[in-house]
Amino acid sequence: MHTATTTPTTAPATATAGSAVAHRERPATTTKLTGLTGHNTTALTGIDGWTVTKTTATYAGSPTAALNAVQKRMDHVRATEGGRATGYASLIAVRNKLRECSTGASHPAVTVTVKRAKKTTASKTTRTGSTALSPKARLTRKRQGEHTTAELVSALEAAWSAIRTNHTEVPSVVIIVGSGTATKQAKYGHFAPTRWQLGEQALAEVLISGEGLKRPVEEVFTTLLHEAAHALADVRGIKDTSRQGRWHNQKFAALASELGLDTTKDPRIGWSPCTLRQETAATYKSVLADLKAALIAYRHPEMVAGTSTKNNNNAIACACQCPRRIRVAKQVLEEGDITCGVCEATFVPDE
């Protein structure tokens, strides 16, 4: 879902006695959502006040009233079928966009415009047939003159909302798409607490690297769950990493397992590598389908300048999991791993 447009509709003109000019009542507000997915429109079908087509849905009322109608359906579905019911995650995505419209908050995937209907007199005539629209008015999320990332960001946010539905302690975050290779250590994502401010509320940031969008949808969703495990650790006050966030300890592995991931131990980064369980993929089947449809582009890696070819005999500072620290000549370090006799972890260079 890309745009949410609030457009007033004009009530029929009523003529008053002795007056040659027809008066119009105050325009009634309608709320229109465009660029919806099939899951969105299916979830909205049958809700009172909503008129649904293939990719659009219009509610006869304000964004606040539309939000209340969707929330009422969500409460009913959750009470009768549970939070994993078919279409529930799609209702969450629609609700979140309507909530932003009703509060006036800005969002990179939503554009809100409010227009007042122009008053016209009864003597004016209009053309029959469809009204000609300007090229700008004809644009929607799925019918753009150029490629737009709005659908991608919206799908990532809907996936995060679905995770929060099943794991209520996972906090709300700001999701961004950016470079994962701009630094020496490449990454598929990161979690950073209190990076954003919304009024009095501090929000964490979850980055999904554009380079990682080339992977299968299951792996992209695994990255979201990986970052959700870090978010859960932050909420619970658990220290799940060390070495500037590179080493993932067994506490992280436990949190990742709670969210539906299997972890394996890597000698350099700990329990960071994750895979999606089959039952977890089944739980988020509709979410994965929506996310897969949005993964239509990916980012090329940064062309990072090569390291200096100048001979440097300075020792390199390394740390293990303890963490104990040693300094080793680069040539010695390149000959093979150096293992700590206390924690049995490999010494890795500090960055």
Side-chain angles (χ1 to χ4, degrees):
M1 180 171 38
H2 172 52
T3 60
T5 307
T6 304
T7 308
T9 58
T10 306
T14 57
T16 58
S19 174
V21 179
H23 298 282
R24 294 185 179 274
E25 297 177 359
R26 186 175 182 178
T29 300
T30 61
T31 301
K32 184 177 182 181
L33 304 179
T34 62
L36 300 178
T37 66
H39 294 289
N40 295 145
T41 54
T42 300
L44 288 172
T45 301
I47 302 180
D48 290 342
W50 283 96
T51 302
V52 179
T53 64
K54 185 177 180 181
T55 59
T56 65
T58 304
Y59 182 78
S62 65
T64 301
L67 171 63
N68 293 336
V70 172
Q71 186 65 57
K72 183 178 179 181
R73 170 60 65 87
M74 288 179 60
D75 294 341
H76 174 73
V77 171
R78 189 172 184 86
T80 57
E81 303 178 49
R84 297 185 180 181
T86 301
Y88 190 76
S90 295
L91 286 173
I92 291 175
V94 173
R95 179 200 63 183
N96 290 346
K97 302 310 176 199
L98 289 169
R99 183 177 290 170
E100 292 161 356
C101 296
S102 62
T103 59
S106 62
H107 188 280
V110 176
T111 302
V112 182
T113 57
V114 179
K115 297 181 180 179
R116 294 287 182 183
K118 294 182 179 179
K119 293 183 178 181
T120 58
T121 62
S123 60
K124 288 186 177 181
T125 59
T126 58
R127 291 181 297 171
T128 59
S130 59
T131 303
L133 298 177
S134 67
K136 183 177 181 180
R138 290 195 295 268
L139 292 178
T140 66
R141 184 191 68 184
K142 291 189 175 181
R143 188 172 61 200
Q144 292 279 346
E146 298 178 357
H147 169 70
T148 171
T149 57
E151 184 176 359
L152 169 62
V153 175
S154 180
L156 289 170
E157 290 181 328
W160 189 267
S161 295
I163 295 171
R164 295 187 65 207
T165 298
N166 292 326
H167 305 278
T168 55
E169 286 186 81
V170 175
S172 176
V173 299
V174 174
I175 294 181
I176 64 173
V177 178
S179 172
T181 56
T183 59
K184 183 178 180 181
Q185 187 69 34
K187 58 188 175 182
Y188 288 133
H190 76 215
F191 170 81
T194 65
R195 282 282 179 89
W196 292 73
Q197 193 71 29
L198 177 62
E200 299 297 323
Q201 181 184 10
L203 296 176
E205 173 184 280
V206 168
L207 175 138
I208 301 299
S209 78
E211 294 86 341
L213 298 178
K214 188 178 181 180
R215 300 173 296 160
V217 64
E218 292 81 6
E219 294 183 22
V220 176
F221 188 68
T222 295
T223 298
L224 277 174
L225 285 173
H226 180 115
E227 305 310 331
H230 287 308
L232 200 56
D234 183 63
V235 168
R236 295 178 180 176
I238 297 174
K239 183 173 176 57
D240 61 338
T241 64
S242 57
R243 304 183 199 164
Q244 294 80 45
R246 296 189 301 277
W247 180 268
H248 292 58
N249 58 33
Q250 290 184 327
K251 294 178 181 178
F252 170 82
L255 292 170
S257 178
E258 182 179 336
L259 294 179
L261 298 175
D262 289 327
T263 58
T264 55
K265 187 178 181 181
D266 182 279
R268 296 179 65 86
I269 56 178
W271 299 91
S272 178
C274 298
T275 54
L276 190 67
R277 295 177 187 152
Q278 289 186 356
E279 56 268 30
T280 308
T283 299
Y284 294 100
K285 182 178 179 180
S286 63
V287 176
L288 290 171
D290 288 344
L291 184 57
K292 183 178 181 179
L295 297 180
I296 58 176
Y298 61 88
R299 190 179 192 276
H300 292 294
E302 294 280 351
M303 299 298 293
V304 180
T307 56
S308 173
T309 58
K310 181 176 64 175
N311 184 27
N312 188 350
N313 293 322
N314 292 336
I316 299 174
C318 301
C320 64
Q321 187 179 353
C322 292
R324 301 167 72 193
R325 298 183 180 276
I326 61 174
R327 296 185 70 85
V328 186
K330 180 179 179 181
Q331 183 177 358
V332 174
L333 187 62
E334 290 176 346
E335 291 178 357
D337 291 341
I338 301 175
T339 305
C340 174
V342 177
C343 66
E344 299 184 353
T346 302
F347 282 97
V348 296
D350 283 338
E351 292 185 351

